[in-house]
């Protein structure tokens, strides 16, 4: 499996991975109406890849020549996070056909080991509260709830929780 920077030509594949992962992981948590119509927003993915800030990253996991995972990260925009030292995983999705095959772990390792420790001290991410497998995956990477919660109204409403991980030198051991 290869982890590489995403390029605009990956937008359709990223959208497919995103939609398939949402439909499989969030069934019963996110409204069925939303999930049934969600296509992963390919045009938005392309625009994001073309207009990324210099501090944002997007990586894909490839199995052969097929994109099977995607990660998007950028400096946290949460008001209670120090803007210069907290990075955020905005998206990390893997095609359900490749769950438990290492793509998600490899994407996260790639990000966590690549962040400049002289600047970035912590990494945060938001995930639906009621998705035990997703939360277990992030816990295996050292993420823990920091007590911050919110509700994503456009999804049903869906309670979400913020997870946080301190960046330490042991990231490579994940």
């Amino acid at each position: 499996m290869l982890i590489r920077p995403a390029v605009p030509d990956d937008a359709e594949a990223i959208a497919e991975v995103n939609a398939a992962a949402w439909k499989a992981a969030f069934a019963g948590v996110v409204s069925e109406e939303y999930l049934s119509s969600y296509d992963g927003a390919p045009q938005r993915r392309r625009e994001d890849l073309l207009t990324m800030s210099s501090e944002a990253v997007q990586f894909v996991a490839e199995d052969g020549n097929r994109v099977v995972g995607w990660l998007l990260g950028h400096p946290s925009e949460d008001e209670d996070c120090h803007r210069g030292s907290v990075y955020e995983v905005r998206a990390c999705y893997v095609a359900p056909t490749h769950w438990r095959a290492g793509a998600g772990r490899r994407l996260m390792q790639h990000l966590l080991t690549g962040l400049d420790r002289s600047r970035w001290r912590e990494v945060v991410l938001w995930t639906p509260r009621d998705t035990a497998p997703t939360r277990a995956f992030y816990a295996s990477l050292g993420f823990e709830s920091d007590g911050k919660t919110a509700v994503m109204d456009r999804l049903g409403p869906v309670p979400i929780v913020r997870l946080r991980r301190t960046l330490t030198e042991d990231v490579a051991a994940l």
Side-chain angles (χ1 to χ4, degrees):
M1 190 158 312
L2 171 71
I3 306 299
R4 64 167 175 78
V7 296
D9 285 346
D10 293 324
E12 291 288 333
I14 288 170
E16 288 174 16
V17 165
N18 183 214
W22 267 69
K23 290 174 183 181
F26 302 148
V29 176
V30 172
S31 79
E32 192 57 42
E33 181 181 346
Y34 182 87
L35 288 178
S36 66
S37 65
Y38 186 61
D39 68 355
Q43 185 56 36
R44 179 173 175 204
R45 303 296 159 233
R46 185 175 318 286
E47 290 168 9
D48 287 349
L49 285 161
L50 291 169
T51 61
M52 274 193 327
S53 78
S54 63
E55 294 183 309
V57 296
Q58 290 198 55
F59 302 114
V60 293
E62 275 188 340
D63 186 8
N65 290 330
R66 183 171 166 231
V67 171
V68 298
W70 166 59
L71 182 142
L72 166 64
H74 58 73
S76 177
E77 296 172 353
D78 291 349
E79 290 182 16
D80 64 334
C81 288
H82 186 271
R83 295 208 191 268
S85 66
V86 180
Y87 207 77
E88 181 175 347
V89 175
R90 184 75 177 123
C92 183
Y93 298 108
V94 173
T97 57
H98 283 72
W99 285 358
R100 300 195 181 279
R105 183 169 298 278
R106 298 261 322 265
L107 284 163
M108 291 294 291
Q109 285 174 321
H110 192 80
L111 173 74
L112 295 172
T113 58
L115 289 172
D116 179 357
R117 302 256 175 326
S118 68
R119 177 169 181 200
W120 305 109
R121 302 291 181 207
E122 296 179 297
V123 177
V124 296
L125 59 89
W126 289 89
T127 193
R129 179 192 67 199
D130 299 327
T131 54
T134 303
R135 293 190 58 188
F137 168 71
Y138 291 124
S140 77
L141 294 167
F143 285 87
E144 297 177 342
S145 174
D146 68 2
K148 187 79 172 183
T149 63
V151 174
M152 289 182 70
D153 288 323
R154 69 181 168 91
L155 303 179
V158 175
I160 59 174
V161 294
R162 188 171 66 192
L163 307 179
R164 184 181 296 260
R165 184 193 199 289
T166 301
L167 281 177
T168 60
E169 296 307 316
D170 68 344
V171 171
L174 298 174

